[in-house]
Structures are given as C-alpha cells and as structure tokens.
Amino acid sequence: MKLHGVGLSAVAMLLALTACGRSDTAALMLDGSETALTLERIKPYAWSEAWELELIVRRNPDCQRRHRLRPTAKTALAVEVFTPESGIFIVRQDKRWYVTDLKSCELQAFKEEPPHPGTLVGSFRVKSEKLGFVRALDHD
C-alpha cells in the first residue's frame, strides 16, 4: 500500500515538472544596470508552441514597465532596436513596430511602419537556443 502511494506521488511530481514552462531574458544595458531594455521570452508550458514576449523598459528609480509583444512560434526570433534620438527607441518585431521612451517607460504600437526608425542599435536574437542581445556592430 505504501509503495502505491510513493508511485502516485512520483507520477504527480513528474507531471508537475513537465507542465513547467521555461523562460529566458536578454538586456540592452543603456546606463549601467539602472537603464535597460530587456526582452523576456516565456514558454508557459512544455507543450506550448508559441513563445510569449515581454519588453521591460527600465530607468531606475523613476520607472519600470513590462509590455507584452505579440507571441511568436518562431525559433529564429529577431527583435530589432533602433534609436532616432536620445532616450527614444523604436522596436521592430516582424511587421510590427513599437516606440518607447525612457521618460515614462511607456510603449506604443505604430499603425504603420515608421519612415525613419533611426540608427540600428542591435537586435534580440536566439543563438544556440539562448536569447541574447547583439549590438549592431557585432551583427554577422
């Protein structure tokens, strides 16, 4: 009887572990660790096909906000970051464009592609299954 209980708890633990998702983050550090744009990709469950994406805009101690981007099933993720002027960042995720500023840490979607997004800073990419930020100077 006791062995039966142990078997059930082992199965329950195995199910709980397989239900767990995973996540990873990468950051574009702008002013030490106090100011950054961080992308987090989250796979809520092991069987999930899509990754949820969140952009965290941080300028400590004044603001920090987490914004949802569109989920993606792509393994070859590339989210580009441009800057048209100091403190303003334009983010491109596939055909979607967003703008964020470091004053308010808000994020707003563009209805159309901006004509001049600014200078490419770099992009969030997945390499060897790990999310990272690659500066424009380091792109292949």
Side-chain angles (χ1 to χ4, degrees):
M1 194 78 148
K2 194 173 187 179
L3 285 175
H4 183 69
V6 170
L8 286 177
S9 55
V11 169
M13 183 175 284
L14 180 61
L15 284 173
L17 288 174
T18 58
C20 293
R22 62 183 221 211
S23 71
D24 59 352
T25 60
L28 163 58
M29 305 305 264
L30 299 163
D31 184 23
S33 61
E34 298 300 310
T35 306
L37 298 179
T38 302
L39 186 70
E40 181 173 18
R41 70 178 186 147
I42 305 153
K43 191 172 266 197
Y45 306 102
W47 57 84
S48 299
E49 291 183 23
W51 289 91
E52 295 176 7
L53 297 177
E54 295 186 351
L55 183 70
I56 301 122
V57 183
R58 180 177 72 233
R59 185 176 55 85
N60 287 339
D62 299 317
C63 65
Q64 177 171 309
R65 293 212 167 70
R66 181 179 288 263
H67 306 281
R68 282 194 163 216
L69 303 181
R70 292 283 294 200
T72 183
K74 293 183 178 183
T75 52
L77 171 72
V79 176
E80 294 177 311
V81 179
F82 300 84
T83 184
E85 61 184 75
S86 180
I88 306 290
F89 294 91
I90 307 250
V91 177
R92 182 174 76 94
Q93 176 197 10
D94 294 324
K95 294 180 181 179
R96 291 176 177 77
W97 292 82
Y98 306 90
V99 62
T100 186
D101 72 81
L102 296 176
K103 285 183 184 176
S104 67
C105 296
E106 292 292 333
L107 183 77
Q108 183 176 344
F110 282 100
K111 291 183 181 183
E112 296 179 11
E113 179 179 335
H116 305 287
T119 304
L120 178 66
V121 177
S123 62
F124 294 98
R125 294 182 174 192
V126 176
K127 188 172 184 178
S128 302
E129 297 185 32
K130 179 77 178 137
L131 182 63
F133 185 80
V134 180
R135 291 204 173 263
L137 299 175
D138 299 333
H139 276 228
D140 341 13

